[in-house]
Amino acid sequence: MNVLQLVWLVPFFPLVGFLINGLLRKQLSKPLISIIGSGMVLASFIVSVLLFTEVKNGNTHVANLFDFISFGQLSIPFAFQIDQLSSLFLLIITGIGFLIHVYSAAYMHEERNEHFGRFFCYLNLFVFSMLLLVLGANYVIMFIGWEGVGLCSYLLIGYWFKNTEYNNAAKKAFIMNRIGDLGFLIAIFWLISKLGTVTYTTPEGTGVFDLYSKLSPVDITGITILLFVGATGKSAQIPLYTWLPDAMAGPTPVSALIHAATMVTAGIYMIARSNILYTLAPTTQSLVAAIGLATALFAATIAIKQNDIKKVLAYSTVSQLGYMFLGLGVGAYTGAVFHVMTHAFFKALLFLGAGSVIHAMHHEQDIRRMGGLAKKLPVTHFTFLMGCIAIAGIFPFSGFFSKDEILAAAYAKDPMYYYLGVAGAVMTAFYMFRLYATTFLGKFRGTEEQKHHLHESPAAMTIPLIVLAILSVVGGFLGTPEVLHMGEHRLEHFLAPVFEASAGLKEAHHLDHNTEYMLMGVAMALAIIAILVALFRYSKKPEVHEPAGFGKVLADKWYIDELYSFVVVKPMNWLAKFLNNIFEKRIVDWLVNGVGRAVNYTSRQVRLLQSGLVGNYVLLMVLSMLALFVVTFFFNKK
């Protein structure tokens, strides 16, 4: 049997885990719940490795499971596509997802059995939805998974549902994603109306990527912009980014899963999958690059002044996603996917490391009340440092290779993209080592009780940290540039068949080796300077007071949430109150109740006709016959 035909097993295992833990959460013990939840994702990872091996050997496959929608000439199968792009994302989702599940077993051990089971049930459903998204062979199956991860984000962000603040954060994520999803949905209908299909490609040449020549430039631009609107919501880009920092309301493993392996990478995957359409839409590509770069810079400025350890990492994710969109916008599709992979390694590491710190500090998240944790948490400290170096883009850590590939492509497209991108990279190095120095160096600033109970996390939490730290260090060697003479760019070679058509449609921009050396050297030198400044500044004198002046503006996130509240939320609330108190009660209720009263009154009058007196009935009969005679007489006369 062909291994590729087993592709359906990849999402099937997490679905089974979701059903077992969901239905039996009150009966199963915590160890058994965690074994089932983690084991199902591990099983998916094993199958994913087998599929990846087949794809690496040059075999791809589309598995048509059954007809999903069939209406007239429109046929949308429930089909999975396993190729280079989807197989790579399967490894990221299931591999990182498994480590997060193992970590969660220890991190969430204080929860009651039924809530523990509910948590793992949601995690499994999250992984299932993301797998559905990347495996779908058409936009409709992708959209089902797209909506699934949106639902799971709502469930997991609001996991502690008794907290109103957390529920509000969950609702915010859900609603902002629905705004973006509307754009995606309209794009799907646009494709159906123009091409009669939403399948990516078929052997008969009847897929979207086969028939793109039938689309006018206006169609392609419109469709790609609408798809990008969906991506801005799911992958937290301006203006739909504010939900992601608030998503920190959920447990820390949820943050790691959302930020590293699943939800926020969905927009990157969708555009990378649709690369042919975007290559044919230069206007949209410029928009994607501009929004991505603006988001990268804007979020980085906010991260500089955040004091919640998870909020710093959240805005860091928003910023790094901006770099991925910059890569997509300048046509560096491989570079963007490469950064998705390396970011999954070091951002999962950083979030889980932050969880280890929070666990040791008894749920304290304010870095101003930490400090000096390096000696008490040696494994967490060392692995967290590895993640910080990787995200700062220091050679030879993974972030260096993927970030510089995007920046080099940006320079080839427009040098201004590079200069602004380097500015964001410098801020990234600065705020990450501000976080590191304030948390792990200097003197301890917590309470005596916290200091007394400080201890390293259990093995179930530290082993995933060590694995992710190793990946953060060596993961970049999958994509070494030619200029460094360290072997071929394996990832580019592997993904070439997916982006081959796009490569033939665009003009290639090649930089000479001296220019590439200069670009790498400038970016890394500035990042190292930023790191040294942050270490020198915050290891000795951390910011323990409330920020003032412009720092307060950054700490308050440029007041964007307040602006949205004033421009959107408050008017909507006012309109809702008006509709509820005035329109609903004084107009709708008056009309509905008026109809009821009219029917009631008419019924009372009509019932008088049934008096029970024979004389009245005879009189009515005579009057009716007379009326019938008059009407008949006049009509016949005419």
Side-chain angles (χ1 to χ4, degrees), residues 155-444:
L155 295 172
L156 285 166
I157 294 168
Y159 170 75
W160 286 306
F161 55 84
K162 292 183 179 180
N163 187 312
T164 303
E165 230 180 272
Y166 294 174
N167 285 331
N168 289 338
K171 288 188 290 185
K172 185 176 184 179
F174 192 76
I175 292 168
M176 293 196 82
N177 273 275
R178 297 294 73 70
I179 296 170
D181 294 351
L182 178 61
F184 192 170
L185 195 58
I186 295 172
I188 291 175
F189 285 118
W190 197 331
L191 284 170
I192 291 173
S193 68
K194 292 296 180 178
L195 300 179
T197 183
V198 289
T199 300
Y200 303 143
T201 185
T202 65
E204 299 79 22
T206 57
V208 172
F209 305 151
D210 305 313
L211 303 174
Y212 62 83
S213 58
K214 292 186 177 181
L215 296 170
S216 69
V218 173
D219 290 329
I220 294 178
T221 301
I223 290 167
T224 50
I225 287 177
L226 287 168
L227 290 174
F228 178 57
V229 169
T232 59
K234 200 65 69 184
S235 296
Q237 297 296 285
I238 292 174
L240 301 177
Y241 73 93
T242 57
W243 69 268
L244 190 57
D246 287 6
M248 297 304 97
T252 302
V254 172
S255 305
L257 194 61
I258 291 177
H259 288 247
T262 57
M263 187 168 174
V264 296
T265 63
I268 315 296
Y269 173 81
M270 183 257 285
I271 293 180
R273 175 61 74 189
S274 311
N275 62 86
I276 296 177
L277 300 180
Y278 278 86
T279 301
L280 293 169
T283 302
T284 307
Q285 277 200 311
S286 298
L287 177 65
V288 172
I291 293 293
L293 189 54
T295 305
L297 292 169
F298 189 72
T301 62
I302 296 174
I304 288 174
K305 285 294 180 180
Q306 297 305 303
N307 294 312
D308 184 314
I309 188 171
K310 289 172 67 176
K311 283 287 179 72
V312 177
L313 298 178
Y315 280 104
S316 168
T317 299
V318 176
S319 181
Q320 294 304 306
L321 288 167
Y323 279 105
M324 297 173 206
F325 279 102
L326 172 62
L328 295 170
V330 299
Y333 300 113
T334 300
V337 173
F338 189 18
H339 202 53
V340 167
M341 183 186 75
T342 59
H343 179 263
F345 298 154
F346 55 69
K347 189 51 61 71
L349 168 61
L350 290 168
F351 265 111
L352 297 185
S356 181
V357 170
I358 295 167
H359 179 266
M361 291 289 296
H362 289 268
H363 306 291
E364 177 61 67
Q365 295 184 200
D366 193 328
I367 59 175
R368 292 173 296 185
R369 299 188 180 96
M370 298 179 186
L373 299 182
K375 294 179 180 178
K376 296 291 185 179
L377 310 175
V379 177
T380 301
H381 162 246
F382 181 74
T383 54
F384 197 91
L385 177 59
M386 296 300 101
C388 289
I389 297 173
I391 195 174
I394 304 302
F395 180 85
F397 287 66
S398 60
F400 166 81
F401 296 100
S402 57
K403 180 204 68 179
D404 275 65
E405 183 171 340
I406 291 173
L407 290 178
Y411 183 87
K413 186 76 173 181
D414 186 340
M416 185 55 67
Y417 285 162
Y418 170 80
Y419 301 138
L420 294 174
V422 168
V426 171
M427 284 191 282
T428 300
F430 180 80
Y431 68 67
M432 284 308 305
F433 276 85
R434 169 184 176 266
L435 171 64
Y436 166 75
T438 307
T439 304
F440 291 99
L441 305 183
K443 296 180 180 179
F444 183 72

